[in-house]
Amino acid sequence: MEKQIQDYDDASSHGDENTSFLNNSVKDTVRRNSIKYLLLANLFFFVMSALTLVCAIYMQHSKASYTTAGLLDEFGLFSPVAGLVEYQRSQFKPAHPTNSSTYVGIDAAVDNAWDDITALPDHIISAENFPKLDRPATSVKVSDPKTGEMGYRAGLRVFRQLQCLNLLRMASHSNYAMKLPHNEAVTVRENLDQCVEMLRMDLMCLSDVSVFTYNDNGQGIAADYESNRVCRNFDTIKQWTKDNAISSASR
């Protein structure tokens, strides 16, 4: 009888040891799985953080190329060069003295400098894209010199703005009067008034919020227009206009 009791106690002891071993084994498994899941979670958050950083860097470099296109799309407007617009940091340094500027004066070199930024050709808007401009169907049509398809004659406003500014420059010099464009329908005065009104609307529309300061040069306080600006790349737009020009025969 005593032997049976001892055997029972031994069996119970072994059972407790087995149970304890199993419990410890389960705990170890749970602990290992917890560590594994924790590592996987940390790895996941690390990868997501890295991707976020890469996207932020990419957007920082690509945002300048798509800001204009996105803004026009948001307001339902269209420009054929919207996706090509590039932004860059530029420093404005007005010429000192002012009459030393390439664009100030009344000689042939100044005229050539203005011709280089104003005598740009028109381009064509396809019949497919024309409705996006919300202009009447009676607008002037031309044929595409590359495809022969009919479209609509158009120009980029920046070059018309510069043409108007050049017109005002010439009008400010009395000996340039003979060079001012005119015809039977529109007088020189009307041309100038149209330019003043267009530039007024454009400047108010753009509402440049860049800041300028003042300097005291000892002879009085004067505005200081030297500043850092964010500008559209004019050369890119100018080159696109040349590459997509319609011939004079198509106009």
Side-chain angles (χ1 to χ4, degrees):
M1 182 68 177
E2 292 179 357
K3 185 175 183 307
Q4 289 178 347
I5 294 174
Q6 184 176 358
D7 290 341
Y8 176 78
D9 290 339
D10 291 341
S12 297
S13 176
H14 286 302
D16 291 340
E17 290 177 358
N18 290 336
T19 301
S20 176
F21 174 78
L22 290 174
N23 288 337
N24 290 335
S25 178
V26 170
K27 290 179 180 179
D28 288 341
T29 301
V30 171
R31 187 181 301 109
R32 285 195 297 270
N33 287 339
S34 298
I35 294 174
K36 180 174 68 175
Y37 293 141
L38 181 61
L39 289 175
L40 288 175
N42 287 334
L43 179 61
F44 172 78
F45 286 116
F46 173 78
V47 171
M48 292 302 296
S49 298
L51 288 175
T52 302
L53 178 61
V54 170
C55 290
I57 294 174
Y58 174 78
M59 289 299 295
Q60 184 177 6
H61 289 283
S62 64
K63 180 174 61 176
S65 299
Y66 297 101
T67 297
T68 298
L71 186 62
L72 292 181
D73 285 343
E74 181 179 350
F75 288 91
L77 302 177
F78 171 77
S79 172
V81 297
L84 300 177
V85 172
E86 300 172 348
Y87 286 88
Q88 58 189 13
R89 181 187 176 99
S90 301
Q91 186 175 24
F92 277 21
K93 289 187 176 182
H96 296 292
T98 303
N99 60 9
S100 65
S101 169
T102 305
Y103 301 97
V104 174
I106 55 173
D107 57 28
V110 174
D111 286 345
N112 291 335
W114 277 98
D115 285 343
D116 184 59
I117 60 174
T118 60
L120 276 297
D122 289 330
H123 59 274
I124 188 170
I125 298 293
S126 68
E128 178 184 0
N129 286 325
F130 183 75
K132 300 176 183 178
L133 297 176
D134 193 25
R135 304 312 305 146
T138 54
S139 298
V140 175
K141 291 185 177 182
V142 292
S143 61
D144 190 323
K146 297 179 181 178
T147 65
E149 296 181 3
M150 292 300 295
Y152 292 83
R153 180 180 174 181
L156 295 182
R157 198 171 179 98
V158 59
F159 301 115
R160 186 52 55 89
Q161 293 166 343
L162 289 170
Q163 289 167 7
C164 271
L165 189 58
N166 189 36
L167 185 63
L168 293 171
R169 174 188 71 91
M170 291 189 291
S172 69
H173 297 280
S174 58
N175 52 339
Y176 265 52
M178 296 301 295
K179 294 186 177 182
L180 293 176
H182 63 278
N183 53 45
E184 295 179 358
V186 182
T187 65
V188 173
R189 182 69 262 165
E190 287 173 332
N191 262 322
L192 293 173
D193 289 343
Q194 286 176 0
C195 279
V196 169
E197 182 63 2
M198 188 187 77
L199 291 175
R200 178 195 66 79
M201 290 189 295
D202 286 344
L203 289 172
M204 292 177 67
C205 175
L206 294 173
S207 292
D208 190 350
V209 294
S210 301
V211 177
F212 67 90
T213 57
Y214 293 88
N215 290 332
D216 188 348
N217 57 14
Q219 298 178 344
I221 295 177
D224 179 7
Y225 296 118
E226 291 190 9
S227 60
N228 292 316
R229 307 286 295 276
V230 176
C231 300
R232 289 172 176 168
N233 190 320
F234 177 80
D235 291 334
T236 299
I237 299 172
K238 177 182 171 184
Q239 188 59 50
W240 181 92
T241 303
K242 289 182 176 181
D243 294 341
N244 292 272
I246 55 175
S247 64
S248 57
S250 301
R251 300 180 190 179

mmCIF file with all atom_site columns, all heavy atoms in Angstrom, residues 23-38:
data_model
loop_
_atom_site.group_PDB
_atom_site.id
_atom_site.type_symbol
_atom_site.label_atom_id
_atom_site.label_alt_id
_atom_site.label_comp_id
_atom_site.label_asym_id
_atom_site.label_entity_id
_atom_site.label_seq_id
_atom_site.pdbx_PDB_ins_code
_atom_site.Cartn_x
_atom_site.Cartn_y
_atom_site.Cartn_z
_atom_site.occupancy
_atom_site.B_iso_or_equiv
_atom_site.pdbx_formal_charge
_atom_site.auth_seq_id
_atom_site.auth_comp_id
_atom_site.auth_asym_id
_atom_site.auth_atom_id
_atom_site.pdbx_PDB_model_num
ATOM 1   N N   . ASN A 1 23 ? 4.461  24.637 -19.526 1.00 0.00 ? 23 ASN A N   1
ATOM 2   C CA  . ASN A 1 23 ? 4.128  26.048 -19.300 1.00 0.00 ? 23 ASN A CA  1
ATOM 3   C C   . ASN A 1 23 ? 5.302  26.950 -19.657 1.00 0.00 ? 23 ASN A C   1
ATOM 4   O O   . ASN A 1 23 ? 5.139  27.999 -20.283 1.00 0.00 ? 23 ASN A O   1
ATOM 5   C CB  . ASN A 1 23 ? 3.723  26.274 -17.843 1.00 0.00 ? 23 ASN A CB  1
ATOM 6   C CG  . ASN A 1 23 ? 2.359  25.674 -17.526 1.00 0.00 ? 23 ASN A CG  1
ATOM 7   O OD1 . ASN A 1 23 ? 1.542  25.475 -18.431 1.00 0.00 ? 23 ASN A OD1 1
ATOM 8   N ND2 . ASN A 1 23 ? 2.108  25.376 -16.256 1.00 0.00 ? 23 ASN A ND2 1
ATOM 9   N N   . ASN A 1 24 ? 6.503  26.535 -19.233 1.00 0.00 ? 24 ASN A N   1
ATOM 10  C CA  . ASN A 1 24 ? 7.694  27.327 -19.555 1.00 0.00 ? 24 ASN A CA  1
ATOM 11  C C   . ASN A 1 24 ? 7.942  27.366 -21.064 1.00 0.00 ? 24 ASN A C   1
ATOM 12  O O   . ASN A 1 24 ? 8.346  28.381 -21.627 1.00 0.00 ? 24 ASN A O   1
ATOM 13  C CB  . ASN A 1 24 ? 8.919  26.761 -18.844 1.00 0.00 ? 24 ASN A CB  1
ATOM 14  C CG  . ASN A 1 24 ? 8.861  26.982 -17.345 1.00 0.00 ? 24 ASN A CG  1
ATOM 15  O OD1 . ASN A 1 24 ? 8.196  27.912 -16.880 1.00 0.00 ? 24 ASN A OD1 1
ATOM 16  N ND2 . ASN A 1 24 ? 9.539  26.124 -16.575 1.00 0.00 ? 24 ASN A ND2 1
ATOM 17  N N   . SER A 1 25 ? 7.686  26.220 -21.714 1.00 0.00 ? 25 SER A N   1
ATOM 18  C CA  . SER A 1 25 ? 7.877  26.153 -23.162 1.00 0.00 ? 25 SER A CA  1
ATOM 19  C C   . SER A 1 25 ? 6.906  27.085 -23.876 1.00 0.00 ? 25 SER A C   1
ATOM 20  O O   . SER A 1 25 ? 7.267  27.791 -24.816 1.00 0.00 ? 25 SER A O   1
ATOM 21  C CB  . SER A 1 25 ? 7.678  24.714 -23.645 1.00 0.00 ? 25 SER A CB  1
ATOM 22  O OG  . SER A 1 25 ? 7.807  24.637 -25.048 1.00 0.00 ? 25 SER A OG  1
ATOM 23  N N   . VAL A 1 26 ? 5.647  27.083 -23.415 1.00 0.00 ? 26 VAL A N   1
ATOM 24  C CA  . VAL A 1 26 ? 4.640  27.971 -24.008 1.00 0.00 ? 26 VAL A CA  1
ATOM 25  C C   . VAL A 1 26 ? 5.020  29.428 -23.791 1.00 0.00 ? 26 VAL A C   1
ATOM 26  O O   . VAL A 1 26 ? 4.924  30.263 -24.690 1.00 0.00 ? 26 VAL A O   1
ATOM 27  C CB  . VAL A 1 26 ? 3.252  27.677 -23.413 1.00 0.00 ? 26 VAL A CB  1
ATOM 28  C CG1 . VAL A 1 26 ? 2.252  28.755 -23.836 1.00 0.00 ? 26 VAL A CG1 1
ATOM 29  C CG2 . VAL A 1 26 ? 2.765  26.306 -23.854 1.00 0.00 ? 26 VAL A CG2 1
ATOM 30  N N   . LYS A 1 27 ? 5.491  29.727 -22.569 1.00 0.00 ? 27 LYS A N   1
ATOM 31  C CA  . LYS A 1 27 ? 5.888  31.103 -22.268 1.00 0.00 ? 27 LYS A CA  1
ATOM 32  C C   . LYS A 1 27 ? 7.051  31.535 -23.156 1.00 0.00 ? 27 LYS A C   1
ATOM 33  O O   . LYS A 1 27 ? 7.086  32.667 -23.653 1.00 0.00 ? 27 LYS A O   1
ATOM 34  C CB  . LYS A 1 27 ? 6.281  31.227 -20.797 1.00 0.00 ? 27 LYS A CB  1
ATOM 35  C CG  . LYS A 1 27 ? 5.097  31.112 -19.837 1.00 0.00 ? 27 LYS A CG  1
ATOM 36  C CD  . LYS A 1 27 ? 5.556  31.228 -18.400 1.00 0.00 ? 27 LYS A CD  1
ATOM 37  C CE  . LYS A 1 27 ? 4.376  31.118 -17.437 1.00 0.00 ? 27 LYS A CE  1
ATOM 38  N NZ  . LYS A 1 27 ? 4.823  31.211 -16.022 1.00 0.00 ? 27 LYS A NZ  1
ATOM 39  N N   . ASP A 1 28 ? 8.018  30.613 -23.348 1.00 0.00 ? 28 ASP A N   1
ATOM 40  C CA  . ASP A 1 28 ? 9.158  30.943 -24.209 1.00 0.00 ? 28 ASP A CA  1
ATOM 41  C C   . ASP A 1 28 ? 8.697  31.194 -25.647 1.00 0.00 ? 28 ASP A C   1
ATOM 42  O O   . ASP A 1 28 ? 9.180  32.116 -26.322 1.00 0.00 ? 28 ASP A O   1
ATOM 43  C CB  . ASP A 1 28 ? 10.183 29.802 -24.188 1.00 0.00 ? 28 ASP A CB  1
ATOM 44  C CG  . ASP A 1 28 ? 10.922 29.724 -22.860 1.00 0.00 ? 28 ASP A CG  1
ATOM 45  O OD1 . ASP A 1 28 ? 10.902 30.735 -22.128 1.00 0.00 ? 28 ASP A OD1 1
ATOM 46  O OD2 . ASP A 1 28 ? 11.502 28.658 -22.567 1.00 0.00 ? 28 ASP A OD2 1
ATOM 47  N N   . THR A 1 29 ? 7.763  30.351 -26.100 1.00 0.00 ? 29 THR A N   1
ATOM 48  C CA  . THR A 1 29 ? 7.248  30.520 -27.467 1.00 0.00 ? 29 THR A CA  1
ATOM 49  C C   . THR A 1 29 ? 6.534  31.857 -27.620 1.00 0.00 ? 29 THR A C   1
ATOM 50  O O   . THR A 1 29 ? 6.718  32.588 -28.594 1.00 0.00 ? 29 THR A O   1
ATOM 51  C CB  . THR A 1 29 ? 6.288  29.373 -27.820 1.00 0.00 ? 29 THR A CB  1
ATOM 52  O OG1 . THR A 1 29 ? 6.983  28.124 -27.716 1.00 0.00 ? 29 THR A OG1 1
ATOM 53  C CG2 . THR A 1 29 ? 5.755  29.537 -29.241 1.00 0.00 ? 29 THR A CG2 1
ATOM 54  N N   . VAL A 1 30 ? 5.695  32.174 -26.624 1.00 0.00 ? 30 VAL A N   1
ATOM 55  C CA  . VAL A 1 30 ? 4.970  33.449 -26.653 1.00 0.00 ? 30 VAL A CA  1
ATOM 56  C C   . VAL A 1 30 ? 5.942  34.619 -26.624 1.00 0.00 ? 30 VAL A C   1
ATOM 57  O O   . VAL A 1 30 ? 5.790  35.603 -27.349 1.00 0.00 ? 30 VAL A O   1
ATOM 58  C CB  . VAL A 1 30 ? 3.987  33.535 -25.463 1.00 0.00 ? 30 VAL A CB  1
ATOM 59  C CG1 . VAL A 1 30 ? 3.397  34.940 -25.355 1.00 0.00 ? 30 VAL A CG1 1
ATOM 60  C CG2 . VAL A 1 30 ? 2.880  32.500 -25.612 1.00 0.00 ? 30 VAL A CG2 1
ATOM 61  N N   . ARG A 1 31 ? 7.007  34.473 -25.776 1.00 0.00 ? 31 ARG A N   1
ATOM 62  C CA  . ARG A 1 31 ? 7.992  35.549 -25.666 1.00 0.00 ? 31 ARG A CA  1
ATOM 63  C C   . ARG A 1 31 ? 8.727  35.741 -26.994 1.00 0.00 ? 31 ARG A C   1
ATOM 64  O O   . ARG A 1 31 ? 8.928  36.858 -27.454 1.00 0.00 ? 31 ARG A O   1
ATOM 65  C CB  . ARG A 1 31 ? 8.985  35.226 -24.547 1.00 0.00 ? 31 ARG A CB  1
ATOM 66  C CG  . ARG A 1 31 ? 9.947  36.378 -24.248 1.00 0.00 ? 31 ARG A CG  1
ATOM 67  C CD  . ARG A 1 31 ? 10.942 36.016 -23.144 1.00 0.00 ? 31 ARG A CD  1
ATOM 68  N NE  . ARG A 1 31 ? 10.256 35.662 -21.909 1.00 0.00 ? 31 ARG A NE  1
ATOM 69  C CZ  . ARG A 1 31 ? 10.194 34.436 -21.416 1.00 0.00 ? 31 ARG A CZ  1
ATOM 70  N NH1 . ARG A 1 31 ? 10.764 33.426 -22.059 1.00 0.00 ? 31 ARG A NH1 1
ATOM 71  N NH2 . ARG A 1 31 ? 9.555  34.190 -20.282 1.00 0.00 ? 31 ARG A NH2 1
ATOM 72  N N   . ARG A 1 32 ? 9.123  34.614 -27.620 1.00 0.00 ? 32 ARG A N   1
ATOM 73  C CA  . ARG A 1 32 ? 9.827  34.705 -28.904 1.00 0.00 ? 32 ARG A CA  1
ATOM 74  C C   . ARG A 1 32 ? 8.929  35.313 -29.978 1.00 0.00 ? 32 ARG A C   1
ATOM 75  O O   . ARG A 1 32 ? 9.366  36.138 -30.782 1.00 0.00 ? 32 ARG A O   1
ATOM 76  C CB  . ARG A 1 32 ? 10.317 33.319 -29.330 1.00 0.00 ? 32 ARG A CB  1
ATOM 77  C CG  . ARG A 1 32 ? 11.535 32.827 -28.549 1.00 0.00 ? 32 ARG A CG  1
ATOM 78  C CD  . ARG A 1 32 ? 12.181 31.649 -29.254 1.00 0.00 ? 32 ARG A CD  1
ATOM 79  N NE  . ARG A 1 32 ? 11.282 30.503 -29.336 1.00 0.00 ? 32 ARG A NE  1
ATOM 80  C CZ  . ARG A 1 32 ? 11.201 29.551 -28.418 1.00 0.00 ? 32 ARG A CZ  1
ATOM 81  N NH1 . ARG A 1 32 ? 11.979 29.611 -27.341 1.00 0.00 ? 32 ARG A NH1 1
ATOM 82  N NH2 . ARG A 1 32 ? 10.367 28.555 -28.566 1.00 0.00 ? 32 ARG A NH2 1
ATOM 83  N N   . ASN A 1 33 ? 7.657  34.888 -29.992 1.00 0.00 ? 33 ASN A N   1
ATOM 84  C CA  . ASN A 1 33 ? 6.723  35.451 -30.973 1.00 0.00 ? 33 ASN A CA  1
ATOM 85  C C   . ASN A 1 33 ? 6.501  36.942 -30.745 1.00 0.00 ? 33 ASN A C   1
ATOM 86  O O   . ASN A 1 33 ? 6.390  37.724 -31.692 1.00 0.00 ? 33 ASN A O   1
ATOM 87  C CB  . ASN A 1 33 ? 5.387  34.711 -30.914 1.00 0.00 ? 33 ASN A CB  1
ATOM 88  C CG  . ASN A 1 33 ? 5.472  33.314 -31.514 1.00 0.00 ? 33 ASN A CG  1
ATOM 89  O OD1 . ASN A 1 33 ? 6.375  33.036 -32.306 1.00 0.00 ? 33 ASN A OD1 1
ATOM 90  N ND2 . ASN A 1 33 ? 4.555  32.435 -31.123 1.00 0.00 ? 33 ASN A ND2 1
ATOM 91  N N   . SER A 1 34 ? 6.429  37.320 -29.460 1.00 0.00 ? 34 SER A N   1
ATOM 92  C CA  . SER A 1 34 ? 6.228  38.738 -29.144 1.00 0.00 ? 34 SER A CA  1
ATOM 93  C C   . SER A 1 34 ? 7.400  39.567 -29.644 1.00 0.00 ? 34 SER A C   1
ATOM 94  O O   . SER A 1 34 ? 7.226  40.644 -30.225 1.00 0.00 ? 34 SER A O   1
ATOM 95  C CB  . SER A 1 34 ? 6.058  38.926 -27.631 1.00 0.00 ? 34 SER A CB  1
ATOM 96  O OG  . SER A 1 34 ? 4.907  38.243 -27.166 1.00 0.00 ? 34 SER A OG  1
ATOM 97  N N   . ILE A 1 35 ? 8.619  39.042 -29.411 1.00 0.00 ? 35 ILE A N   1
ATOM 98  C CA  . ILE A 1 35 ? 9.814  39.752 -29.881 1.00 0.00 ? 35 ILE A CA  1
ATOM 99  C C   . ILE A 1 35 ? 9.818  39.834 -31.406 1.00 0.00 ? 35 ILE A C   1
ATOM 100 O O   . ILE A 1 35 ? 10.141 40.867 -31.989 1.00 0.00 ? 35 ILE A O   1
ATOM 101 C CB  . ILE A 1 35 ? 11.086 39.045 -29.365 1.00 0.00 ? 35 ILE A CB  1
ATOM 102 C CG1 . ILE A 1 35 ? 11.168 39.156 -27.837 1.00 0.00 ? 35 ILE A CG1 1
ATOM 103 C CG2 . ILE A 1 35 ? 12.330 39.641 -30.013 1.00 0.00 ? 35 ILE A CG2 1
ATOM 104 C CD1 . ILE A 1 35 ? 12.315 38.368 -27.227 1.00 0.00 ? 35 ILE A CD1 1
ATOM 105 N N   . LYS A 1 36 ? 9.425  38.710 -32.051 1.00 0.00 ? 36 LYS A N   1
ATOM 106 C CA  . LYS A 1 36 ? 9.399  38.684 -33.509 1.00 0.00 ? 36 LYS A CA  1
ATOM 107 C C   . LYS A 1 36 ? 8.405  39.703 -34.049 1.00 0.00 ? 36 LYS A C   1
ATOM 108 O O   . LYS A 1 36 ? 8.710  40.465 -34.973 1.00 0.00 ? 36 LYS A O   1
ATOM 109 C CB  . LYS A 1 36 ? 9.033  37.277 -33.992 1.00 0.00 ? 36 LYS A CB  1
ATOM 110 C CG  . LYS A 1 36 ? 8.973  37.162 -35.520 1.00 0.00 ? 36 LYS A CG  1
ATOM 111 C CD  . LYS A 1 36 ? 8.754  35.723 -35.940 1.00 0.00 ? 36 LYS A CD  1
ATOM 112 C CE  . LYS A 1 36 ? 7.355  35.262 -35.529 1.00 0.00 ? 36 LYS A CE  1
ATOM 113 N NZ  . LYS A 1 36 ? 7.060  33.901 -36.038 1.00 0.00 ? 36 LYS A NZ  1
ATOM 114 N N   . TYR A 1 37 ? 7.195  39.739 -33.467 1.00 0.00 ? 37 TYR A N   1
ATOM 115 C CA  . TYR A 1 37 ? 6.181  40.685 -33.925 1.00 0.00 ? 37 TYR A CA  1
ATOM 116 C C   . TYR A 1 37 ? 6.602  42.131 -33.662 1.00 0.00 ? 37 TYR A C   1
ATOM 117 O O   . TYR A 1 37 ? 6.323  43.036 -34.455 1.00 0.00 ? 37 TYR A O   1
ATOM 118 C CB  . TYR A 1 37 ? 4.839  40.398 -33.252 1.00 0.00 ? 37 TYR A CB  1
ATOM 119 C CG  . TYR A 1 37 ? 4.227  39.081 -33.676 1.00 0.00 ? 37 TYR A CG  1
ATOM 120 C CD1 . TYR A 1 37 ? 3.573  38.264 -32.757 1.00 0.00 ? 37 TYR A CD1 1
ATOM 121 C CD2 . TYR A 1 37 ? 4.315  38.651 -35.002 1.00 0.00 ? 37 TYR A CD2 1
ATOM 122 C CE1 . TYR A 1 37 ? 3.017  37.053 -33.142 1.00 0.00 ? 37 TYR A CE1 1
ATOM 123 C CE2 . TYR A 1 37 ? 3.760  37.442 -35.398 1.00 0.00 ? 37 TYR A CE2 1
ATOM 124 C CZ  . TYR A 1 37 ? 3.116  36.644 -34.465 1.00 0.00 ? 37 TYR A CZ  1
ATOM 125 O OH  . TYR A 1 37 ? 2.572  35.459 -34.854 1.00 0.00 ? 37 TYR A OH  1
ATOM 126 N N   . LEU A 1 38 ? 7.289  42.330 -32.519 1.00 0.00 ? 38 LEU A N   1
ATOM 127 C CA  . LEU A 1 38 ? 7.768  43.672 -32.198 1.00 0.00 ? 38 LEU A CA  1
ATOM 128 C C   . LEU A 1 38 ? 8.812  44.128 -33.214 1.00 0.00 ? 38 LEU A C   1
ATOM 129 O O   . LEU A 1 38 ? 8.798  45.276 -33.674 1.00 0.00 ? 38 LEU A O   1
ATOM 130 C CB  . LEU A 1 38 ? 8.350  43.687 -30.783 1.00 0.00 ? 38 LEU A CB  1
ATOM 131 C CG  . LEU A 1 38 ? 8.870  45.040 -30.284 1.00 0.00 ? 38 LEU A CG  1
ATOM 132 C CD1 . LEU A 1 38 ? 7.739  46.065 -30.257 1.00 0.00 ? 38 LEU A CD1 1
ATOM 133 C CD2 . LEU A 1 38 ? 9.484  44.894 -28.891 1.00 0.00 ? 38 LEU A CD2 1
#
